[in-house]
Amino acid sequence: MKALLMKYIYAVPALFIAVIFLQSLFFKFTQSPETVYIFEQKLNPWALSLGLPNLFAPNGLFSAYAIGTLELVSSVLILIGLFAPKAPWALGIGALITIGLMTGAIFFHLFT
């Protein structure tokens, strides 16, 4: 029993992360007021002050659409890694993308 529990203990937080990312896609892809405020009124002026215009604009490199797409890819890879026994690599790649996304989110929440 303990061996079975230890084998799948990582599945709970991985599934939680995938679900959180998937539920946030609605806001990123529908231009919700919260997302527009964060990306266009907070992050984009901050990037402009550093000499990087339109970095977070709707057509920018790190737009809400780009971040949402990375969250979708990460979630799908995590779910594939959890439920497809022949693709454990997918969980690792999804986890690496998630680490990058969350590192960026923490950075921007602290410094903007």
Side-chain angles (χ1 to χ4, degrees), residues 19-90:
V19 169
I20 293 297
F21 274 3
L22 288 172
Q23 69 88 29
S24 75
L25 295 179
F26 171 79
F27 298 100
K28 301 264 185 349
F29 292 144
T30 61
Q31 288 291 317
S32 73
E34 298 90 353
T35 302
V36 170
Y37 176 76
I38 291 169
F39 280 86
E40 294 180 28
Q41 295 178 2
K42 284 295 204 183
L43 294 176
N44 210 35
W46 177 79
L48 181 62
S49 73
L50 298 175
L52 302 166
N54 298 322
L55 189 63
F56 295 98
N59 59 351
L61 181 62
F62 296 112
S63 69
Y65 296 122
I67 300 300
T69 301
L70 284 173
E71 288 176 354
L72 177 62
V73 168
S74 173
S75 297
V76 168
L77 286 170
I78 288 171
L79 293 173
I80 289 171
L82 286 175
F83 296 110
K86 294 190 179 202
W89 53 268

